[in-house]
Amino acid sequence: MLDGFQRRAKWRNLRLRDAYMISTGLYISAIIISLVLLAATQLGRGFRQRVFHWFFYLVLFNLLGIAGEAVVGILSGYTGHAVYVAIKIADFFAYTIGAGSTIVFALYVYEYLKTKTNIAKTPVYIVYVLSAITVLLAAIAQFNDQFAWLDENNYYHQGGLLWLTYLPTILAFLTFAIVTLRHIKALKPREWIVLLVYMVMPTMCYVIEWLNEDIWLTHFGYAITTLLIYTTIQVDLMQEIKEQRAELMESRISVMLSQIQPHFLYNTLTAISDLCSDNPKASEALVTFSTYLRGNLNTLTMKGLIPFEKELEHVEQYLRLEQLRFEERLQIEYDIQATAFMMPALILQPIVENAVLHGVTQIREGGKVRIRVEETESSFRIAVEDNGAGFEPGVPLEDARGHMGIANVRARLSAMCNGLLVIESAPGEGTTAIIEIPKGKQR
């Protein structure tokens, strides 16, 4: 029969095994969370801001730290010198990675606050020093039982100085808690709350571990709070940057429109000027152009999508003016089978203008421009065909403005409705330009 001491020792070993298995289960859960976050951070790969990079490293360091302490938990309870050495190495690795994780978090907070306000880098240097002290203490602890020691079954037990290994990390988080509170006005409530939770959580876990040496919670707490950071801060930050990119694209569209408008107005006024000298149709041209300006001046400055019918009306007025100029040399044909869709303003007119100026009017006898619109299962397709001079794909036109107009059309189609522009041409055979407007992709 076992005496009282033997029964207590056996109960102690069983309780340790159960506690270590619970800790291992927590670490496995934390590993799964961290792997999911690593996959999620790839959503931010298109963003060059350093804050996204540091968040990725924050998750990665936490994952490595979890793996190190999970090894300690798995091996604990097995006897042998090799197991003893492996546990010591894994424990030191986990401490070192934990110090690195603290540095990465400091850099993350620093870069994140930089997106909101001006901040000095001095607190980051303080964290460097404190993290170096953590690694030094962890190295000493592997050879000094005053910090922690392993029994004959390779279970860890606390020493009286173990709290010293926690202190530098706690001070590091306290440093950035103060920094966050100093810049609290630049942050949304949920932003500074989540950052402070990340800083407070490790301290709470350290206290729990100190009170119950058999349960390890720190890296599991890191994983939970990192998930909290991602769901409340990173997603918001990505959305903000997407909105900034959209605003930048809108400004680029404004520049494109400012390039297109003077170009068209200059050509039109030049054409009317030529007609005024020797052609009685000049008066008709002036009236048509006045109508064009009255009815479409707002369209010229619109950045969003407009009904196709309005764009077509705009093009028809332009072609009336060009027919007055080129007379029988320019023939127009319409085949409009669909009109119930939206498109960016001033997309069709530059394409038609190229067909007229660089296509049919480049040959003596002139030619025909045909505008065809049809609906497919996935898109609306606008084809502008001419039987004019054509050109060799890849060879610049003599008038570089033609290529500028095409580039602007492609950029605006892509940015505003995920549309495409495909141009096919051959010298002497004419040109076909096809605009694809996807269904359900218009913003």
Side-chain angles (χ1 to χ4, degrees), residues 110-344:
Y110 169 74
E111 292 294 339
Y112 184 73
L113 290 177
K114 274 178 61 178
T115 67
K116 305 290 183 177
T117 184
N118 294 323
I119 178 174
K121 203 171 184 179
T122 304
V124 176
Y125 299 135
I126 294 174
V127 172
Y128 287 162
V129 174
L130 291 171
S131 296
I133 294 173
T134 298
V135 175
L136 178 61
L137 290 173
I140 295 174
Q142 305 309 315
F143 307 98
N144 189 329
D145 291 349
Q146 293 298 313
F147 289 87
W149 54 280
L150 289 170
D151 62 20
E152 67 277 5
N153 293 314
N154 286 322
Y155 285 115
Y156 259 115
H157 299 274
Q158 294 178 2
L161 298 180
L162 183 63
W163 62 274
L164 284 176
T165 61
Y166 299 153
L167 185 59
T169 301
I170 293 174
L171 291 176
F173 284 125
L174 178 61
T175 299
F176 262 89
I178 294 172
V179 172
T180 301
L181 291 173
R182 284 185 61 187
H183 297 280
I184 195 171
K185 292 182 179 180
L187 300 172
K188 300 174 184 176
R190 67 173 179 272
E191 292 173 332
W192 63 262
I193 289 173
V194 169
L195 292 177
L196 289 180
V197 167
Y198 192 98
M199 299 170 198
V200 171
M201 181 67 75
T203 302
M204 294 176 59
C205 291
Y206 289 148
V207 172
I208 294 173
E209 289 182 4
W210 179 256
L211 296 175
N212 187 344
E213 65 177 354
D214 302 331
I215 300 293
W216 299 346
L217 292 172
T218 304
H219 283 287
F220 180 76
Y222 278 143
I224 295 299
T225 48
T226 305
L227 178 61
L228 190 61
I229 285 178
Y230 180 80
T231 55
T232 59
I233 293 180
Q234 284 294 111
V235 173
D236 281 354
L237 188 57
M238 282 189 275
Q239 184 60 37
E240 287 179 11
I241 293 176
K242 286 180 180 178
E243 291 173 358
Q244 291 172 3
R245 286 186 170 182
E247 290 175 3
L248 178 60
M249 180 57 68
E250 291 292 338
S251 66
R252 290 178 61 189
I253 290 171
S254 296
V255 173
M256 293 173 187
L257 285 169
S258 68
Q259 292 173 333
I260 295 172
Q261 294 167 25
H263 175 51
F264 170 66
L265 296 176
Y266 173 81
N267 281 349
T268 303
L269 291 172
T270 300
I272 294 174
S273 176
D274 291 341
L275 289 171
C276 285
S277 62
D278 56 6
N279 195 315
K281 292 185 179 180
S283 177
E284 181 184 350
L286 284 172
V287 171
T288 302
F289 188 51
S290 296
T291 302
Y292 171 88
L293 288 178
R294 281 197 308 271
N296 295 283
L297 195 56
N298 289 335
T299 302
L300 285 168
T301 57
M302 288 182 64
K303 302 184 184 74
L305 303 180
I306 65 171
F308 166 73
E309 292 171 316
K310 196 169 191 66
E311 178 76 357
L312 181 61
E313 180 183 350
H314 175 80
V315 169
E316 288 173 339
Q317 291 172 337
Y318 162 75
L319 287 173
R320 288 193 196 101
L321 290 168
E322 294 292 39
Q323 281 185 307
L324 289 171
R325 178 184 178 189
F326 295 107
E327 298 180 328
E328 69 277 358
R329 293 180 59 205
L330 176 60
Q331 302 174 44
I332 307 298
E333 182 179 321
Y334 297 97
D335 182 9
I336 311 300
Q337 301 176 22
T339 59
F341 63 96
M342 306 286 283
M343 65 183 298

